[in-house]
């Protein structure tokens, strides 16, 4: 994930009415804000100062340039003075990059003893930004609004969230997903309209066969296989059967070949996300487990059983979370723990949970898998640490895409789970399992999700706004009656929205 080539532009609006000296001060103040935000350490990419804009032609030219510059992933706007918003119409119509409206002012406090009309004419963002906000609302322009003094940690944190989501959005707009095999037969929620997804998000999803992987495996260099096995031995606690001269050592060799073959295929094809399915393994000797886990740890997106939407979302959220504390993984609500005191969800999958959410050095093991009809697959086994997290699911509702988020609190497992040979995490969904699962089912949420300890709901809200998709949040305040009312209202809203669009 190379973030050094990406940037966000900082654009300040004004007008010629105030004269050259005021405009010179506006530019100087804006430059100081940009420098301060870059030095604040909350932005994952560079914030680039752009000359202030004071005419419709200047605004339109800048918006056109931002839309056509690959390095620019977003725009932050600020009206230092009053900037008549009709000047922005043409530019906003063509601006295709994510937009953040920063409602701030250069000074933090009113200089009570010295304030005069010169100061008032210079520092007019209190109403200049309202004029700009009206125009964006009138044009139904999706954007993030951040209010507060630019030096405050809260404001810088929110700008950092926007920048990270803009990175994820830029990734999704150019993402290629390899669907190795088709969807798991007869399953509904992992299907979806790939054409509609490409139109809405930009993501490109195409199908491939397991033979595309096995053909690469057939020409692998044995030295590369041996080197990868040495990496396994250094990185994980190998079970006895997988160690040198162990009874299942050949299973580790096959797992290494699958990883090398799959990794080569993804690199050569420019794919950053992929799916597979146990119903279309061809001559692969194992269902890829260890390979998928390690590829996810390196940043690739993944979805099981052909779930390309979750694969794309996993990659996007990993890009958003790059450099933050906590991991992000493909996940599935697997089984429940019902007790009179508290109910929990055990999240897991057959094999493919990312070790970025591991609480310790994973164990590398091989066990039978009663599905797929192949040899016993190798996988990493671990628990996930306690703490705040969330599950996100992207589903196709037929006339729109819906993003569903459930905030959760991961907890330590209540036992060692010695016979469960998969990675797992135990969580308490907010507000509780009863309400969370009820709301999730009413919303049509998938059984596959992206589980993240690094991101929170604000990231997903910004993501939904950038792409103009529906967002449903299940959190500590969720009530089923109001949630059902929201679902009904959204049906009407998005029906009208599609007609307008």
């Amino acid at each position: 994930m190379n973030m050094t080539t990406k940037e966000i532009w900082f654009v300040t609006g004004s007008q010629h009415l105030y004269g050259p000296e005021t405009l010179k001060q506006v530019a100087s103040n804006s430059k100081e804000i940009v420098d301060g935000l870059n030095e604040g350490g909350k932005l994952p990419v560079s914030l680039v100062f752009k000359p202030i804009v004071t005419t419709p032609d200047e605004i339109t030219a800048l918006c056109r340039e931002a839309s056509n510059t690959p390095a620019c992933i977003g725009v932050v706007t600020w009206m230092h003075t009053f900037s008549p918003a009709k000047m922005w119409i043409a530019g906003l119509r063509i601006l295709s990059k994510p937009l953040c409206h920063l409602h701030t002012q250069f000074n933090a406090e009113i200089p009570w003893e010295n304030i005069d009309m010169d100061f008032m004419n210079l520092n007019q963002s209190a109403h200049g930004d309202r004029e700009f906000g009206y125009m964006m609302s009138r044009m139904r322009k999706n954007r993030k609004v951040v209010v507060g003094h630019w030096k405050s940690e809260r404001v810088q944190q929110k700008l950092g969230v926007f920048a990270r989501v803009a990175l994820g959005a830029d990734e999704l707009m150019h993402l290629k997903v390899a669907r190795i095999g088709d969807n798991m037969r007869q399953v509904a929620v992992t299907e979806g309209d790939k054409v509609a997804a490409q139109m809405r998000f930009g993501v490109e999803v195409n199908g491939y066969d397991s033979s595309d992987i096995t053909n690469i495996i057939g020409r692998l260099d044995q030295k590369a296989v041996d080197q990868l096995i040495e990496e396994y031995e250094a990185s994980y606690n190998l079970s006895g059967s997988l160690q040198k001269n162990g009874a299942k050592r050949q299973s580790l060799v096959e797992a290494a070949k699958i990883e090398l073959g799959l990794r080569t295929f993804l690199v050569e094809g420019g794919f950053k996300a992929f799916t597979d399915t146990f119903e279309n393994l061809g001559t692969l000797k194992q269902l890829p487990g260890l390979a998928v886990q390690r590829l996810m740890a390196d940043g690739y997106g993944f979805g099981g059983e052909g779930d390309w939407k979750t694969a794309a979302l996993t990659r996007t959220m990993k890009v958003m979370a790059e450099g933050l504390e906590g991991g992000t993984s493909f996940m599935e609500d697997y089984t429940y723990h019902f007790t009179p005191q508290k109910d929990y969800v055990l999240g897991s999958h057959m094999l493919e949970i990312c070790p970025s959410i591991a609480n310790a050095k994973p164990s590398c093991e091989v066990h039978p898998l009663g599905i797929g009809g192949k040899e016993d697959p190798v996988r990493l086994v671990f628990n996930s640490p306690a703490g705040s997290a969330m599950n996100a699911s992207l589903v196709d509702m037929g006339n729109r895409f819906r993003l569903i988020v459930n905030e959760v609190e991961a907890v330590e497992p209540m036992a060692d789970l010695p016979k469960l040979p998969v990675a797992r995490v135990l969580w308490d969904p907010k507000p509780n399992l009863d309400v969370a699962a009820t709301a999730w089912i009413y919303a049509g949420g998938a059984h596959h999700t992206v589980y993240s300890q690094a991101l929170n709901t604000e990231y997903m809200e910004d993501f939904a706004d950038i792409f103009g998709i529906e967002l449903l949040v299940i959190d500590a305040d969720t009530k089923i009656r109001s949630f059902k009312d929201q679902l009904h209202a959204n049906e009407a809203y998005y029906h009208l929205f599609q007609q307008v669009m």
Side-chain angles (χ1 to χ4, degrees):
M1 304 178 192
N2 186 4
M3 298 182 179
T4 61
T5 62
K6 303 297 182 180
E7 58 193 31
I8 290 176
W9 291 4
F10 190 91
V11 180
T12 307
S14 187
Q15 60 179 333
H16 284 294
L17 179 66
Y18 306 108
E21 290 302 316
T22 297
L23 293 181
K24 183 178 179 180
Q25 189 63 49
V26 168
S28 175
N29 290 351
S30 298
K31 182 65 166 59
E32 185 172 336
I33 289 176
V34 169
D35 291 342
L37 292 175
N38 280 323
E39 293 167 2
K42 297 294 191 296
L43 302 178
V45 297
S46 295
L47 189 63
V48 177
F49 169 79
K50 288 294 177 178
I52 63 172
V53 289
T54 58
T55 69
D57 288 345
E58 290 175 350
I59 293 169
T60 303
L62 187 141
C63 290
R64 181 179 294 112
E65 183 185 2
S67 298
N68 295 328
T69 301
C72 176
I73 62 169
V75 175
V76 175
T77 56
W78 172 49
M79 306 301 112
H80 191 320
T81 64
F82 197 77
S83 179
K86 286 174 64 177
M87 296 194 302
W88 287 84
I89 293 175
L92 291 174
R93 287 180 63 186
I94 63 175
L95 181 64
S96 61
K97 298 299 174 71
L99 177 60
C100 177
H101 182 190
L102 175 60
H103 183 43
T104 189
Q105 62 184 26
F106 180 71
N107 60 296
E109 300 179 357
I110 294 174
W112 302 107
E113 299 296 327
N114 301 314
I115 187 171
D116 56 18
M117 283 311 300
D118 288 338
F119 180 93
M120 297 283 276
N121 284 333
L122 176 63
N123 298 282
Q124 296 189 53
S125 55
H127 60 284
D129 277 326
R130 282 172 166 79
E131 164 78 355
F132 183 63
Y134 163 75
M135 197 68 255
M136 288 192 290
S137 294
R138 174 72 183 269
M139 296 178 68
R140 277 62 172 177
K141 190 75 176 179
N142 289 342
R143 76 279 193 189
K144 181 182 180 75
V145 178
V146 177
V147 178
H149 194 255
W150 59 275
K151 286 186 177 180
S152 76
E153 184 175 354
R154 180 186 60 82
V155 166
Q156 294 194 16
Q157 179 67 34
K158 284 183 172 293
L159 290 173
V161 170
F162 168 76
R164 288 185 171 279
V165 177
L167 276 167
D170 180 72
E171 178 71 16
L172 186 56
M173 292 172 191
H174 302 93
L175 182 63
K176 293 172 62 178
V177 180
R179 204 179 193 201
I180 303 169
D182 200 353
N183 195 57
M184 181 179 173
R185 296 171 197 138
Q186 308 298 340
V187 177
V189 75
T190 49
E191 285 282 15
D193 190 334
K194 296 188 285 292
V195 174
Q198 190 164 352
M199 292 170 62
R200 174 64 61 181
F201 304 110
V203 60
E204 179 183 332
V205 184
N206 286 300
Y208 298 85
D209 190 73
S210 60
S211 62
D212 293 310
I213 312 303
T214 53
N215 288 340
I216 297 173
I217 292 175
R219 60 176 188 267
L220 287 175
D221 178 50
Q222 185 60 42
K223 183 178 180 181
V225 177
D226 294 339
Q227 289 176 340
L228 184 55
I229 291 176
E230 291 177 2
E231 185 176 336
Y232 294 164
E233 292 172 331
S235 302
Y236 314 116
N237 297 317
L238 264 62
S239 63
S241 64
L242 293 179
Q243 295 176 11
K244 290 182 179 179
N245 301 318
K248 291 287 187 177
R249 180 69 171 188
Q250 187 58 35
S251 296
L252 191 66
V253 174
E254 295 299 334
K257 290 180 179 179
I258 291 172
E259 178 181 340
L260 289 171
L262 186 52
R263 189 181 293 271
T264 300
F265 169 76
L266 296 172
V267 171
E268 290 180 350
F271 303 109
K272 296 295 180 63
F274 67 101
T275 73
D276 63 17
T277 171
F278 55 82
E279 291 179 316
N280 187 19
L281 294 176
T283 58
L284 283 171
K285 294 186 177 181
Q286 301 174 16
L287 175 63
L290 178 61
V292 171
Q293 291 178 293
R294 285 174 50 82
L295 285 163
M296 269 198 289
D298 287 343
Y300 284 91
F302 174 76
E305 294 102 43
D307 190 351
W308 54 270
K309 297 186 297 299
T310 303
L313 188 61
T314 304
R315 169 62 183 175
T316 302
M317 291 174 63
K318 279 183 172 289
V319 170
M320 293 182 195
E322 175 69 8
L324 297 178
E325 184 177 351
T328 299
S329 176
F330 169 72
M331 186 59 67
E332 181 172 88
D333 294 67
Y334 222 101
T335 194
Y336 292 139
H337 181 65
F338 286 125
T339 72
Q341 295 77 30
K342 193 72 175 176
D343 301 330
Y344 297 96
V345 178
L346 183 65
S348 186
H349 205 253
M350 293 186 297
L351 304 171
E352 310 97 340
I353 300 298
C354 179
S356 68
I357 67 168
N359 66 348
K361 187 176 183 179
S363 172
C364 186
E365 304 176 11
V366 58
H367 298 276
L369 182 67
I371 194 168
K374 294 290 182 176
E375 296 177 3
D376 300 343
V378 179
R379 80 292 303 269
L380 300 177
V381 178
F382 53 84
N383 291 324
S384 188
S388 297
M390 70 170 178
N391 279 303
S393 172
L394 182 65
V395 296
D396 185 348
M397 297 304 294
N399 65 338
R400 65 188 184 276
F401 289 95
R402 171 180 285 172
L403 181 65
I404 308 157
V405 173
N406 185 199
E407 298 177 359
V408 306
E409 188 71 23
V411 300
E412 295 289 341
M414 300 163 190
D416 292 336
L417 304 169
K419 295 185 178 181
L420 184 63
V422 290
R424 59 268 176 158
V425 54
L426 186 69
W427 67 75
D428 176 14
K430 295 181 181 179
N432 54 58
L433 178 55
D434 178 4
V435 174
T438 301
W440 191 272
I441 290 170
Y442 273 128
H447 54 286
H448 290 164
T449 63
V450 183
Y451 174 85
S452 181
Q453 303 162 322
L455 305 177
N456 58 37
T457 300
E458 184 178 2
Y459 291 88
M460 308 317 295
E461 182 178 0
D462 287 358
F463 173 83
D465 286 343
I466 285 173
F467 288 106
I469 64 172
E470 181 183 9
L471 173 68
L472 294 171
V473 177
I474 305 168
D475 58 15
D477 298 323
T478 297
K479 302 285 191 266
I480 292 300
R481 184 178 295 118
S482 59
F483 191 83
K484 290 167 68 177
D485 287 342
Q486 182 183 359
L487 288 172
H488 296 150
N490 285 4
E491 287 292 343
Y493 170 82
Y494 282 97
H495 174 74
L496 294 173
F497 178 76
Q498 294 295 340
Q499 300 303 315
V500 172
M501 294 297 288

